Amino acid sequence: MGNLLSGVFYIICFGLSYILYKTADKYKNTNRLMANVVKMMAILIPVVLAAFRYNVGTDFRNYNFAITYERNHGWNYFSYPARVKLEIGFWFVVKVAATLFQSNVAVWFVLYLIMFFFLERGFAFYAQTQKYSVEIGYFIFLIYYYSSSLNITRQIIALSIIFYASRFVFENKKRFFVFVILATLFHYTAIISVVMWVLWDHKNNRPQRKQVMMVIDSILIVFFLTYKWIYKLLCRIPFLDFLRRYEYALFNNPGKNRTYILTVFISVLIIVLWKRLVRLNEKNEFCLQMVLFNLIIGYGALSNKIIFRLSLYFEIFYLILFPQIPYLFTKNSRNFARAGIVLYWLIYFIGVYVIIGNGEIVPYMSIWR
């Protein structure tokens, strides 16, 4: 019963935030001040929810310990123990916020404002450049990424930065790498995002040819089917026997097997619409390839958490593709399409967090427990 009530509480908060965000989008062309005020109200709901939580997410205590430790120690980054040091960008933001504010709540507040700042900048770009239901992207972020962030905060901040940076791939601007470096300072796995630049044909300003992508996909499939066998062979070579020390990380590090079937279902839904989405916008060919990458890498992540962390960067293209789906329908049917997408993601949240209990996000508990 506690989990169910807590799930309802989350859904009410997400629903209110979604309604406010959608309202702000309606005002954007008529009253920009009102649009900005309402949008800030929408964003403050999940930010406050994250800031005032207590022991929500399996890594909450580790993060809270790191924040308190940084507040009470000096500025010499290299003097910090590994479990507190984390990536230097995250460490620096926490150190500044923890020094300015005596409450860990305020530090969490700052971290989530950063997350939503980059998210909002990314949405603003895609909403201006294509047919795009921005409120759908926002709702999916709340359900899929924000909920995960209550456990893996650093990586979701990095993901929000990469989501914003993805615009520079399409614009052929090398500042993309600046933001990849910034994201990597929050979570080292963000470095995998550099492959996005390679997979876009900058000379012709279009996605790479299908033949090229098919070769890359095939190599990835073969690799993830055989990488453990290859690793064992490498370990038998005398001068590579040092690789054995990483055996635990490779073979005894459970990945995303509990939710992979849901990821497959989400991705297949997108892939079924491949041709129609590409006709809507040629850039979607690239986004769909990234979703396919996520499926392939996700298979490798079934038995390894490290690979799971890498696959997340290709899932952010859900935030680009799903908001375009309503525009595949006639004008009179678009609201039904939007409602269907919202309902689908609500079911996802209930299944993953309320029933399965992924990441110990549910039940919600505040600092006033």
Side-chain angles (χ1 to χ4, degrees), residues 122-132 167 170-171 281 283:
F123 281 146
F125 170 75
Y126 289 108
Q128 290 172 1
T129 58
Q130 57 201 65
K131 294 178 178 179
Y132 190 85
R167 62 174 290 181
F170 301 125
E171 294 178 329
N281 190 323
K283 294 175 183 176

Side-chain angles (χ1 to χ4, degrees), residues 108-320:
W108 284 113
F109 192 89
V110 170
L111 289 170
Y112 275 80
L113 277 183
I114 292 172
M115 181 189 300
F116 277 87
F117 171 79
F118 284 104
L119 173 76
E120 170 55 27
R121 291 297 83 210
F123 281 146
F125 170 75
Y126 289 108
Q128 290 172 1
T129 58
Q130 57 201 65
K131 294 178 178 179
Y132 190 85
S133 296
V134 65
E135 75 279 1
I136 295 295
Y138 179 72
F139 187 75
I140 293 172
F141 180 83
L142 290 178
I143 293 291
Y144 196 70
Y145 295 102
Y146 167 82
S147 298
S148 296
S149 78
L150 298 176
N151 182 32
I152 51 174
T153 306
R154 286 179 298 138
Q155 188 162 20
I156 304 302
I157 293 175
L159 278 167
S160 68
I161 296 171
I162 296 300
F163 174 63
Y164 168 72
S166 63
R167 62 174 290 181
F168 300 119
V169 174
F170 301 125
E171 294 178 329
N172 301 303
K173 294 179 180 178
K174 292 185 179 179
R175 73 180 71 171
F176 169 76
F177 295 103
V178 174
F179 287 98
V180 170
I181 293 170
L182 177 62
T184 304
L185 295 178
F186 280 87
H187 202 279
Y188 67 93
T189 54
I191 195 66
I192 190 68
S193 304
V194 297
V195 304
M196 296 176 189
W197 183 266
V198 178
L199 297 175
W200 180 259
D201 184 347
H202 297 279
K203 183 178 179 180
N204 298 306
N205 196 31
R206 62 177 305 279
Q208 290 285 2
R209 290 180 295 114
K210 289 182 180 180
Q211 295 87 335
V212 174
M213 296 307 302
M214 286 178 65
V215 170
I216 295 173
D217 290 341
S218 300
I219 292 172
L220 277 177
I221 291 170
V222 171
F223 173 77
F224 285 115
L225 287 173
T226 62
Y227 75 99
K228 290 187 177 182
W229 178 74
I230 294 171
Y231 177 84
K232 288 181 179 179
L233 283 180
L234 291 174
C235 286
R236 293 182 179 181
I237 301 174
F239 63 88
L240 294 178
D241 60 353
F242 69 90
L243 291 173
R244 293 181 183 275
R245 73 183 67 171
Y246 304 109
E247 187 172 356
Y248 176 81
L250 191 64
F251 295 101
N252 300 288
N253 198 359
K256 57 185 289 188
N257 51 326
R258 289 190 299 175
T259 57
Y260 181 65
I261 187 65
L262 296 173
T263 302
V264 170
F265 187 79
I266 295 168
S267 300
V268 167
L269 176 63
I270 289 286
I271 291 170
V272 166
L273 299 171
W274 191 301
K275 289 185 178 179
R276 295 182 66 189
L277 284 166
V278 172
R279 283 199 297 268
L280 188 67
N281 190 323
E282 186 186 33
K283 294 175 183 176
N284 287 338
E285 181 83 38
F286 174 85
C287 300
L288 286 158
Q289 280 292 347
M290 297 303 99
V291 169
L292 194 56
F293 265 37
N294 173 54
L295 270 184
I296 297 169
I297 297 174
Y299 173 80
L302 285 174
S303 58
N304 193 279
K305 192 180 297 182
I306 296 173
I307 299 175
F308 162 61
R309 294 296 181 92
L310 296 176
S311 70
L312 288 175
Y313 294 95
F314 302 103
E315 286 184 353
I316 61 169
F317 290 91
Y318 290 159
L319 299 181
I320 300 174

Side-chain angles (χ1 to χ4, degrees), residues 4-24:
L4 180 60
L5 291 175
S6 189
V8 170
F9 171 72
Y10 274 110
I11 290 170
I12 291 172
C13 291
F14 292 162
L16 181 58
S17 183
Y18 165 74
I19 292 169
L20 287 170
Y21 200 89
K22 186 175 182 179
T23 303

